[in-house]
C-alpha cells in the first residue's frame, strides 16, 4: 500500500477503509507526515482561510462525582483542592472574555451536583441575555436527555463530551465500573438529536490504547458526524491510578489531527492546551497540522492551578488578556489570524 495514494484519496473523497488508515497510522516516515499535514492544511485553508477561532474556557468547578482513572479532579483524589465559582464570578469571566473579543464561552466543570439543572439553565439564560451575540458551549459531562433539553431551551448552543474511546473494553479500563460506553454514546446521540453542535474526542496515548482502538474511534466519529473533535495527548497526573503511565505522543496527536481534518473537512478541531503542555510549539504545530480552534483559559487566575486534569498544565499563571495577546502573536507568526465571528459549524464558506 502506498501512503501517498491513501492521503490523496482521503483528500479527494474524505474516505478511507480500515486497512488504509491502519497503514497510514503505522507509517512513521517523515515524508508521509509532512505530506499528510500539507494536504490537511490545504483543506483547512479552503474551508476556513487562515482564520483561527477562539473559545474562552471557563473552568467553573472542579468538584466531580466521577472517578475517571486518568483525571486529576476525580472524586478519589484527596489532594485536589476543590473550588466552585459563583454565578457572579462566572458572569464576570464572560464580561472579560467578551471585551477581549471572544464570541464563544465554554463552561466546563467536573460533574458537580451543586450545579443543578435549574441553576445551569438560569446561568445560561443570564449569559445569553447579557451577551446575545455569543455562543455558549457546555462541557459538564453525562446527563439525562431531559437535562440536555432544558439547557438547550435555556439557550446553550454547543456541547463537548469526549467519548474517550470507542472500544468497550478500553473504556472499562479507563473508567470506574459505574460508567459505560453505552451511556456515553447515548449522551452524544441525544445531544445531536436535540440540536446542539456536538463535540466528541479522545486522549491520544491514553493507558492501554492500541492502534485498533484509534481506528475504532475514527469509525465511531464517522458514525456520529460530530461538529467538533477534541483530541490531545494523554498527560500523566501524579495523584491518579495512572501516575506510572507515560505521556501520549505529540507526533501521533499531530498525525491524527491531519487525518481528522481530511476525514472531516468542516469540523472544528482545537489545538489543545494539552498539546501545548507537552511541546512549547504544540498549538502552533496543531494549527499547521489542520486544527482551526484555540481554547484560551478565561477562568480567574487564582483557581487555574486547581483545575489540574493533568500535570504541568500551561497558562495557569496568566491573565486572560495575556493569553489572548500571546496566542494572537503566536498564530500571526505562523501566518494565521484570529477570527472575529462565532465560528459555528458550517459558518465559513471560504473560497480560494
Ligand atoms: N491528560 C490529558 N487529557 C485529560 N483529560 C482528562 N484527564 C486528562 C489527562 N490526564 C481530558 C479528557 C476530558 C477532557 C476534559 O480532558 O479527555 O474529556
Ligand atoms: Fe496563555 Fe501564551 S497562551 S500565556
Amino acid at each position: 500500500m502506498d501512503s501517498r495514494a491513501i492521503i490523496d484519496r482521503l483528500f479527494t473523497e474524505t474516505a478511507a477503509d480500515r486497512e488504509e488508515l491502519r497503514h497510514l497510522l503505522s507509517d512513521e516516515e517523515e515524508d508521509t507526515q509532512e505530506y499528510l499535514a500539507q494536504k490537511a492544511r490545504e483543506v483547512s485553508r479552503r474551508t476556513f482561510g487562515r482564520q483561527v477561532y477562539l473559545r474562552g474556557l471557563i473552568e467553573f468547578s472542579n468538584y466531580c462525582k466521577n472517578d475517571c482513572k486518568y483525571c486529576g479532579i476525580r472524586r478519589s483524589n484527596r489532594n485536589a483542592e476543590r473550588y466552585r465559582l459563583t454565578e457572579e464570578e462566572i458572569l464576570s469571566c464572560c464580561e472579560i472574555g467578551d471585551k477581549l473579543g471572544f464570541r464563544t464561552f465554554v463552561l466546563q466543570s467536573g460533574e458537580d451536583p451543586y450545579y443543578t439543572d435549574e441553576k445551569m439553565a438560569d446561568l445560561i439564560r443570564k449569559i445569553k441575555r447579557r451577551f446575545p451575540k455569543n455562543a455558549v458551549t457546555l462541557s459538564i459531562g453525562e446527563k439525562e436527555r431531559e437535562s440536555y433539553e432544558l439547557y438547550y431551551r435555556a439557550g446553550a448552543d454547543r456541547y463537548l463530551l469526549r467519548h474517550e474511546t470507542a472500544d468497550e473494553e478500553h473504556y472499562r479500563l479507563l473508567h470506574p465500573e459505574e460508567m459505560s460506553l453505552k451511556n456515553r454514546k447515548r449522551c452524544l446521540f441525544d445531544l445531536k438529536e436535540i440540536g446542539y453542535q456536538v463535540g466528541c474526542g479522545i486522549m491520544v496515548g491514553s493507558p492501554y490504547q492500541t492502534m485498533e482502538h484509534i481506528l475504532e474511534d475514527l469509525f465511531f466519529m464517522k458514525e456520529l458526524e460530530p461538529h467538533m473533535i477534541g483530541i490531545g495527548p494523554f498527560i500523566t497526573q501524579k495523584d491518579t491510578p495512572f501516575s506510572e503511565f507515560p505521556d501520549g505522543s505529540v507526533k501521533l496527536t499531530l498525525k491524527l489531527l491531519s487525518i481528522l481534518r481530511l476525514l472531516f473537512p468542516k469540523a472544528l478541531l482545537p489545538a489543545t492546551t494539552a498539546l501545548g503542555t507537552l511541546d512549547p510549539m504544540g498549538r502552533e504545530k496543531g494549527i499547521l497540522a489542520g486544527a482551526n480552534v484555540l481554547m484560551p483559559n478565561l477562568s480567574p487566575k487564582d483557581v487555574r492551578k486547581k483545575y489540574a486534569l493533568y500535570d504541568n498544565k500551561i497558562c495557569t499563571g496568566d491573565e486572560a488578556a495575556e493569553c489572548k495577546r500571546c496566542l494572537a502573536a503566536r498564530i500571526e507568526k505562523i501566518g494565521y489570524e484570529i477570527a472575529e465571528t462565532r465560528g459555528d459549524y458550517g459558518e465559513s464558506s471560504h473560497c480560494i
Side-chain angles (χ1 to χ4, degrees), residues 137-176:
T137 303
L138 300 178
S139 179
I140 55 176
E142 295 181 15
K143 307 275 176 184
E144 297 300 324
R145 185 184 176 112
E146 293 69 37
S147 309
Y148 290 147
E149 281 167 349
L150 181 73
Y151 313 146
Y152 190 74
R153 281 198 305 273
D157 304 276
R158 311 182 187 137
Y159 205 104
L160 305 180
L161 182 70
R162 289 191 180 173
H163 64 287
E164 315 295 358
T165 174
D167 181 88
E168 292 275 1
E169 221 162 285
H170 187 213
Y171 193 92
R172 260 181 269 126
L173 291 169
L174 299 180
H175 297 100

Side-chain angles (χ1 to χ4, degrees), residues 70-71 108 162 164 184 203 233-235 237 309-310:
Y70 44 83
C71 181
Q108 188 176 87
R162 289 191 180 173
E164 315 295 358
R184 199 74 164 187
M203 292 175 289
F234 163 75
I235 303 178
Q237 210 284 352
L309 306 183
Y310 48 82

Side-chain angles (χ1 to χ4, degrees), residues 53-305:
Y53 296 107
L54 290 189
R55 317 291 199 208
L57 181 64
I58 305 171
E59 299 154 337
F60 67 94
S61 164
N62 71 351
Y63 282 86
C64 193
K65 68 177 167 68
N66 263 340
D67 219 14
C68 307
K69 294 182 186 156
Y70 44 83
C71 181
I73 65 169
R74 65 201 299 267
R75 68 161 185 264
S76 304
N77 183 7
R78 300 272 165 262
N79 292 332
E81 212 184 305
R82 305 289 168 173
Y83 74 91
R84 194 178 270 139
L85 300 185
T86 63
E87 192 179 85
E88 290 71 41
E89 286 171 319
I90 298 170
L91 284 164
S92 113
C93 289
C94 295
E95 192 71 55
I96 294 169
D98 184 65
K99 287 216 174 80
L100 288 171
F102 298 163
R103 293 293 162 256
T104 297
F105 305 127
V106 182
L107 302 182
Q108 188 176 87
S109 70
E111 293 196 6
D112 180 359
Y114 169 86
Y115 281 98
T116 57
D117 287 350
E118 289 67 37
K119 283 202 182 91
M120 279 314 299
D122 242 30
L123 174 63
I124 296 160
R125 273 190 292 269
K126 284 193 178 122
I127 297 176
K128 292 297 278 193
R129 208 172 299 140
R130 212 144 126 192
F131 310 98
K133 286 205 296 282
N134 294 11
V136 169
T137 303
L138 300 178
S139 179
I140 55 176
E142 295 181 15
K143 307 275 176 184
E144 297 300 324
R145 185 184 176 112
E146 293 69 37
S147 309
Y148 290 147
E149 281 167 349
L150 181 73
Y151 313 146
Y152 190 74
R153 281 198 305 273
D157 304 276
R158 311 182 187 137
Y159 205 104
L160 305 180
L161 182 70
R162 289 191 180 173
H163 64 287
E164 315 295 358
T165 174
D167 181 88
E168 292 275 1
E169 221 162 285
H170 187 213
Y171 193 92
R172 260 181 269 126
L173 291 169
L174 299 180
H175 297 100
E177 227 166 86
E178 63 274 18
M179 289 178 73
S180 74
L181 178 59
K182 194 161 160 261
N183 194 48
R184 199 74 164 187
K185 288 187 174 175
R186 190 271 305 158
C187 290
L188 284 162
F189 284 106
D190 275 352
L191 288 161
K192 234 189 134 193
E193 261 177 40
I194 292 167
Y196 285 94
Q197 292 175 48
V198 173
C200 69
I202 61 165
M203 292 175 289
V204 180
S206 61
Y208 311 108
Q209 186 183 58
T210 64
M211 198 204 292
E212 293 307 308
H213 295 151
I214 296 178
L215 290 169
E216 207 47 50
D217 288 320
L218 295 175
F219 285 103
F220 169 67
M221 291 172 193
K222 270 290 178 195
E223 185 193 334
L224 177 67
E225 291 186 81
H227 306 87
M228 295 167 270
I229 304 169
I231 68 162
F234 163 75
I235 303 178
T236 314
Q237 210 284 352
K238 59 183 183 336
D239 299 316
T240 63
F242 290 162
S243 60
E244 302 295 320
F245 282 86
D247 291 339
S249 145
V250 168
K251 201 169 158 195
L252 181 57
T253 306
L254 294 171
K255 187 182 203 173
L256 271 170
L257 277 173
S258 297
I259 292 175
L260 288 172
R261 173 53 69 220
L262 293 173
L263 282 171
F264 304 92
K266 290 188 180 163
L268 294 148
L269 291 181
T272 56
T273 305
L275 193 54
T277 295
L278 287 191
D279 181 330
M281 293 292 281
R283 287 167 300 179
E284 289 90 330
K285 289 178 186 171
I287 303 281
L288 293 171
N292 70 322
V293 173
L294 287 168
M295 299 176 67
N297 203 316
L298 258 184
S299 316
K301 206 167 146 174
D302 56 310
V303 303
R304 287 195 190 183
K305 276 203 169 50

Side-chain angles (χ1 to χ4, degrees), residues 33-49:
Q33 185 105 350
E34 189 35 57
Y35 188 61
L36 188 56
Q38 188 194 316
K39 286 305 207 187
R41 273 200 298 276
E42 210 175 313
V43 172
S44 278
R45 284 181 196 162
R46 195 167 53 198
T47 322
F48 307 103

